[in-house]
Amino acid sequence: MGLRLRRGRGVTRDIKADYDEHAAVVTEREQEAAGVKAVLVSLQRGVKSMGPLRTAASLIRLNQRKGFDCPGCAWPEEPGGRKFAEFCENGAKAVAEEATKRVVTPEFFARHSISDLEGRPEYWLSQQGRLTHPVVLRPGDDHYREISWPEAFRLIAGELRALDDPNEAVFYTSGRTSNEAAFLYQLLVRSFGTNNLPDCSNMCHESSGASLVDSIGIGKGSVTVEDVANSDLIVIAGQNPGTNHPRMLSVLEKAKANGAKIIAVNPLPEAGLIRFKDPQKVHGVVGHGVAVADEFVQIRLGGDMALFAGVARLLLEADDRRPGSVIDRDFIDTYCHGFAEYEAQARAVDLDTVLEATGISRTQLERVAAMVAESERTVACWAMGLTQHRHAVAMISEISNVLLMRGMIGKPGAGLCPVRGHSNVQGDRTMGIWEKMPEEFLAALDAHFGITSPRQDGVDTVDAIRAMRDGRAKVFMGMGGNFALATPDTAVTEAALRACALTVQVSTKLNRSHVVHGRTALILPSLGRTDRDVQNGVKQQVSVEDSMSMVHLSRGSLHPPGEQVRSEVAIVCQLARELLGPAHPVPWERFNGDYDTIRDAIAAVVPGCADYNTKVRAADGFQLPHGPRDSREFPTSTGKANFAVNPLEWVPVPPGRLVLQTLRSHDQYNTTIYGLSDRYRGVEGGRRVVFVNPADIASFGLTEGDRVDLVSEFTADGETEERRAKDFRVVPYSTPVGNAAAYYPETNSLVALDHVAARSNTPVSKAVVIRLEPASAPDDLVSGAAWDE
Ligand SMILES: Nc1nc2c(c(=O)[nH]1)N[C@H]1C(S)=C(S)[C@@H](COP(=O)(O)OP(=O)(O)OC[C@H]3O[C@@H](n4cnc5c(=O)[nH]c(N)nc54)[C@H](O)[C@@H]3O)O[C@H]1N2
Ligand SMILES: Nc1nc2c(c(=O)[nH]1)N[C@H]1C(S)=C(S)[C@@H](COP(=O)(O)OP(=O)(O)OC[C@H]3O[C@@H](n4cnc5c(=O)[nH]c(N)nc54)[C@H](O)[C@@H]3O)O[C@H]1N2
Ligand SMILES: [Mo]
């Protein structure tokens, strides 16, 4: 088998295996991210779905000061003079997906019954185009049919009023919703009488929030883009920026040009971490790109807590040798709480355990510790590779511990940087989309509007599924997103949604959540980020917050896909009016007609948003206050930054088993599959692949290209449950022995609903114990059987 392995820099492939029909072809994997090819791919995709004029009109305005915010990721735009093309290949794909000229009309639903749509893969569903009309599926009917907006609102209000208790309804939000729509949506839900506001964040950075609130008192990152660019050491753990945050690569390149070193901590040698070509720079186009990572730590899944605990011990020992050279005692004495206890634990960390948990060598551990010790300005970035573990919250706290020891919070060029996913997921939280908003927020909301918000905590995503499964919740409404497919335990979630009396999806595109429906189901078509939003004859703008707490305006400019498509703000206001009646104290009509009035209310209620309308109109918007970052003030229970003391946890691999992570390919946006090309990993034409270390393939008696079922094993209360995902192709890959990887959402069915992170309740999507069995019949509803470009 012509497979060459090079440790540290990943696998170099010279295999070209031609698999049969519904399959993936493994080609040369690309070692460099971005570059000219990325620009070409984005233009091709744009012209294919939008046509040349819409492509030019949209990409010119993407992330520009007078344009719209990219619906891709939450990485900030660079302040000051923005570059002409402030977007990336995957941002352009996200725009092409939304701005497509294809449409899904009532005639489409007349042609395609639910039974027909149920058999269609997710990829096919999303390719049908933008939703243009509100449609309803009545009990017993097999087709969605057109319904007028007023009738749709009456139907929802009727079902909601018929509930015994407002807590029998669940109101989900995905992270693309604007600040204005999010603020009004939570206001509607709380006016109705429940805090049941689960969101995608529950499956995403909830662990970061839970950890950071305890450590530094605020659940948001403590750095700006300038800090990252001016740091001298950047740790990137559990994140694949080349695919998921490509614009971050230009900032990393800038930091490197300023002399920064980069440590990449990842089980996989991801292309963006190894090399990057900035298409905006000539040398990026013609040269060989910049080697991003100076140190690639190929860690075992879930080993990061041990890595940072090991580093902490080595830092303390280095400081013993040269007192005062490593540990920032002034910072610790002035600003921190709990160091003595933490120090005692860190000194006792067993380094052999660290090497076993991480799978790295003693010399590499020492190199990493030395880099951390020598740095004067350290930034630590992370994403789903850390948040979706059972011990995610403690793992992230261990990173904060190391940065606190070195005084790296609230100092230019240094700090904590959870890199958010959805473009406005952070803003939605700021606006009150959370099942347990603090009393301060609820009290301000009540005082401003004269309502009484409920005080009982609501359900998060996992608890919402349990509530629907057990008949405690009967109405589901989704403000964007794809609840059926993004959540864990697909069979359980689907049954839970089907048990509802009513499911309502506010969506731009068709997805699985429209097919997996309650007794009655509604699809309400909404405008997206790129669309022009006109109310009362006046063009409206919305605002969003990025991963670094910068708030700014976004103005869509494209012609909407149909006359009937309404903005999320309008949908919320009109539903509220119907549900809550004309006597309700909130001025819903006024909000609907002029978004400036919503921003005035946000200014009165949301902390840090005073004078919102003015500040958000500044050229680059404004930055929300952040005590630790701005003035080393830590609003925690102790009033200081807290060292966290947690028992060391990691993820051992049971004999004969693999630990599987579920992750994104280069050609998808969460559950939306753009295409079947995971270019950087060298997989083309299919998605049902499982990446396995060649030594494991050999030890299981398998060979490359074999077809297997993935059978997950989850043990709770002494009982082991099994779940099966059928027919995956084995691909040899540079992943640690015992660790495997496969794509989300094809593998969500393997994640047990009860397998969640301690304290954040986030599904454990990055450590699923599986065994491989010979493949049974295929069962592929996500990516489809064949790829016919
Ligand atoms: N194009 C595109 N952009 C996106 C998205 C998309 O789907 N497509 N999704 C958006 C969203 S909502 C989010 S949250 C982000 C997600 O951004 P990422 O977090 O980058 O997404 P994943 O694909 O889940 O990748 C997880 C990475 O962590 C590594 N990893 C897994 N387990 C571990 C571990 O235990 N330790 C360490 N150190 N590393 C580990 C994996 O190998 C992989 O590189 O991207 C956002 N941007
Ligand atoms: N196994 C596994 N599961 C995971 C993850 C993982 O890594 N592994 N990652 C988790 C993470 S990080 C996240 S964030 C969640 C994502 O969960 P979601 O946010 O629920 O899922 P998306 O796939 O992003 O939602 C896509 C749908 O949103 C709708 N949409 C797009 N834009 C708009 C808009 O502007 N307005 C409205 N109203 N609708 C819009 C479209 O109809 C589209 O079909 O999945 C989680 N699930
Ligand atoms: Mo996410």
Side-chain angles (χ1 to χ4, degrees):
M1 184 173 61
L3 179 71
R4 290 206 312 272
L5 270 177
R6 265 196 292 133
R7 228 188 135 70
R9 278 292 160 89
V11 191
T12 308
R13 292 178 168 279
D14 54 352
I15 41 169
K16 251 196 172 52
D18 231 358
Y19 295 131
D20 59 10
E21 2 91 39
H22 89 279
V25 178
V26 180
T27 63
E28 194 81 25
R29 66 182 283 276
E30 290 182 21
Q31 301 243 339
E32 290 160 359
V36 174
K37 183 153 179 195
V39 171
L40 288 178
V41 169
S42 56
L43 289 176
Q44 274 165 7
R45 290 286 170 93
V47 172
K48 195 168 163 229
S49 71
M50 299 187 273
L53 284 180
R54 275 167 84 85
T55 304
S58 57
L59 295 185
I60 281 170
R61 293 191 180 86
L62 181 49
N63 285 337
Q64 298 303 305
R65 279 178 172 167
K66 296 233 146 105
F68 61 90
D69 184 60
C70 181
C73 72
W75 185 259
E77 286 75 47
E78 290 183 52
R82 294 195 193 167
K83 295 182 201 159
F84 167 63
E86 176 82 37
F87 64 89
C88 66
E89 173 190 351
N90 279 346
K93 284 190 210 161
V95 168
E97 184 77 15
E98 181 174 298
T100 175
K101 288 193 295 187
R102 293 185 209 137
V103 285
V104 170
T105 59
E107 293 73 56
F108 170 92
F109 290 109
R111 274 200 312 279
H112 298 282
S113 66
I114 284 291
S115 333
D116 168 4
L117 296 176
E118 233 179 294
R120 303 283 182 168
E122 190 66 17
Y123 174 63
W124 186 91
L125 291 178
S126 79
Q127 290 306 298
Q128 302 313 303
R130 285 286 298 277
L131 297 156
T132 58
H133 289 70
V135 288
V136 64
L137 181 73
R138 307 232 182 234
D141 198 352
D142 198 28
H143 287 266
Y144 275 104
R145 299 180 198 276
E146 191 174 353
I147 182 174
S148 73
W149 279 102
E151 212 188 321
F153 293 132
R154 273 198 299 278
L155 197 161
I156 303 169
E159 291 277 0
L160 287 172
R161 277 196 226 100
L163 296 173
D164 292 334
D165 186 313
N167 290 318
E168 290 178 356
V170 164
F171 298 87
Y172 176 73
T173 313
S174 168
R176 284 207 187 167
T177 299
S178 66
N179 281 353
E180 288 73 8
F183 181 76
L184 295 184
Y185 187 49
Q186 61 85 32
L187 179 60
L188 159 70
V189 171
R190 296 197 160 101
S191 298
F192 173 62
T194 179
N195 283 312
N196 283 350
L197 283 157
D199 68 348
C200 67
S201 206
N202 299 142
M203 299 179 271
C204 186
H205 267 291
E206 198 68 60
S207 306
S208 307
S211 171
L212 291 174
V213 163
D214 280 359
S215 298
I216 63 169
I218 172 167
K220 299 182 181 180
S222 76
V223 296
T224 62
V225 203
E226 290 91 333
D227 288 328
V228 181
N230 296 324
S231 61
D232 67 13
L233 178 68
I234 305 171
V235 181
I236 304 171
Q239 191 199 347
N240 179 18
T243 286
N244 296 315
H245 306 92
R247 285 180 299 113
M248 178 175 175
L249 298 183
S250 351
V251 180
L252 295 180
E253 194 183 9
K254 206 187 263 179
K256 282 197 77 88
N258 293 340
K261 294 262 187 298
I262 293 179
I263 303 177
V265 186
N266 203 303
L268 309 179
E270 305 282 32
L273 298 171
I274 306 305
R275 275 187 195 284
F276 166 57
K277 288 181 180 181
D278 187 342
Q280 312 203 335
K281 291 198 182 153
V282 178
H283 77 82
V285 176
V286 296
H288 292 291
V290 181
V292 175
D294 298 275
E295 188 72 42
F296 171 52
V297 182
Q298 188 160 29
I299 197 162
R300 288 197 174 130
L301 286 168
D304 304 72
M305 184 179 185
L307 174 70
F308 287 96
V311 167
R313 171 168 168 176
L314 296 183
L315 292 179
L316 287 162
E317 290 174 357
D319 197 71
D320 293 342
R321 291 193 292 276
R322 284 185 47 219
S325 64
V326 179
I327 307 298
D328 189 340
R329 306 239 171 224
D330 285 347
F331 178 84
I332 293 172
D333 292 345
T334 317
Y335 299 109
C336 300
H337 173 86
F339 182 62
E341 200 189 338
Y342 176 70
E343 181 180 8
Q345 168 166 301
R347 284 188 184 278
V349 166
D350 175 29
L351 292 182
D352 286 334
T353 304
V354 169
L355 301 186
E356 187 196 325
T358 56
I360 68 172
S361 69
R362 172 85 192 219
T363 41
Q364 186 169 42
L365 178 67
E366 283 168 2
R367 268 202 316 273
V368 170
M371 287 168 84
V372 174
E374 280 155 25
S375 161
E376 283 167 12
R377 298 177 306 280
T378 310
V379 168
C381 303
W382 70 89
M384 296 306 100
L386 297 201
T387 63
Q388 298 175 337
H389 280 287
R390 169 120 197 107
H391 55 307
V393 178
M395 183 138 90
I396 293 161
S397 302
E398 203 55 38
I399 298 185
S400 303
N401 288 340
V402 167
L403 261 62
L404 289 173
M405 277 166 82
R406 303 225 55 238
M408 293 293 175
I409 315 274
K411 153 174 166 173
L416 295 161
C417 182
V419 183
R420 306 274 160 185
H422 264 303
S423 52
N424 198 39
V425 62
Q426 189 161 318
D428 290 348
R429 268 293 159 87
T430 306
M431 294 298 129
I433 302 290
W434 197 22
E435 68 280 0
K436 42 183 187 226
M437 279 310 274
E439 173 58 30
E440 186 196 5
F441 181 94
L442 299 178
L445 196 67
D446 290 359
H448 186 74
F449 289 109
I451 61 168
T452 309
S453 298
R455 294 306 198 264
Q456 181 194 339
D457 283 354
V459 290
D460 62 12
T461 294
V462 165
D463 284 335
I465 297 167
R466 291 181 177 134
M468 291 186 284
R469 176 196 64 190
D470 301 342
R472 283 178 284 117
K474 299 180 177 118
V475 172
F476 175 93
M477 176 161 176
M479 184 55 71
N482 186 0
F483 195 86
L485 214 53
T487 51
D489 226 343
T490 314
V492 175
T493 301
E494 292 201 353
L497 286 167
R498 290 188 195 282
C500 285
L502 174 70
T503 48
V504 182
Q505 305 288 352
V506 180
S507 311
T508 51
K509 304 278 293 270
L510 204 56
N511 65 42
R512 180 85 188 150
S513 301
H514 304 123
V515 180
V516 179
H517 54 84
R519 189 152 43 87
T520 303
L522 281 164
I523 305 176
L524 306 180
S526 87
L527 297 177
R529 216 41 89 59
T530 53
D531 299 315
R532 185 184 310 151
D533 181 355
V534 178
Q535 306 290 340
N536 286 341
V538 180
K539 202 174 154 190
Q540 305 291 323
Q541 31 199 6
V542 294
S543 54
V544 291
E545 175 185 343
D546 67 31
S547 201
M548 295 183 183
S549 308
M550 285 297 299
V551 181
H552 60 85
L553 287 172
S554 173
R555 313 158 177 87
S557 51
L558 297 185
H559 201 67
E563 297 288 304
Q564 288 286 321
V565 183
R566 296 199 177 168
S567 74
E568 291 179 348
V569 165
I571 294 170
V572 171
C573 290
Q574 291 160 29
L575 173 60
R577 184 57 200 269
E578 180 64 40
L579 177 65
L580 304 168
H584 193 257
V586 175
W588 297 107
E589 275 99 3
R590 187 149 57 87
F591 284 160
N592 191 158
D594 178 0
Y595 296 2
D596 272 348
T597 63
I598 311 172
R599 285 184 281 270
D600 285 338
I602 290 173
V605 172
V606 181
C609 291
D611 220 4
Y612 196 74
N613 260 314
T614 312
K615 285 196 291 191
V616 88
R617 285 181 159 81
D620 288 316
F622 72 101
Q623 189 152 38
L624 286 167
H626 187 289
R629 180 197 65 211
D630 303 337
S631 52
R632 292 190 159 173
E633 280 167 48
F634 298 93
T636 61
S637 50
T638 59
K640 294 193 166 193
N642 291 315
F643 279 95
V645 179
N646 293 297
L648 186 57
E649 283 182 68
W650 71 98
V651 185
V653 184
R657 305 293 184 268
L658 295 170
V659 174
L660 174 84
Q661 61 155 322
T662 64
L663 81 180
R664 292 155 175 80
S665 85
H666 191 63
D667 216 3
Q668 71 182 87
Y669 194 92
N670 296 338
T671 66
T672 303
I673 314 302
Y674 297 147
L676 306 183
S677 164
D678 195 6
R679 209 170 74 237
Y680 296 153
R681 299 198 188 101
V683 174
E684 299 287 335
R687 290 175 46 92
R688 289 186 93 79
V689 293
V690 56
F691 299 104
V692 185
N693 183 292
D696 286 319
I697 297 181
S699 81
F700 293 141
L702 295 167
T703 45
E704 174 186 355
D706 277 354
R707 291 159 75 151
V708 293
D709 283 359
L710 314 181
V711 184
S712 73
E713 300 172 357
F714 173 66
T715 306
D717 305 327
E719 291 202 18
T720 300
E721 297 169 5
E722 292 194 354
R723 290 166 176 78
R724 181 179 297 265
K726 293 177 184 166
D727 200 16
F728 286 71
R729 260 158 212 285
V730 174
V731 172
Y733 205 80
S734 177
T735 173
V737 171
N739 288 174
Y743 300 129
Y744 138 70
E746 283 83 347
T747 45
N748 285 40
S749 57
L750 297 173
V751 182
L753 186 63
D754 292 336
H755 195 197
V756 289
R759 291 172 50 208
S760 65
N761 219 24
T762 294
V764 177
S765 306
K766 296 290 192 269
V768 183
V769 173
I770 58 162
R771 59 173 199 271
L772 305 181
E773 288 191 356
S776 49
D779 169 23
D780 183 354
L781 275 180
V782 178
S783 36
W787 167 228
D788 51 355
E789 169 106 64

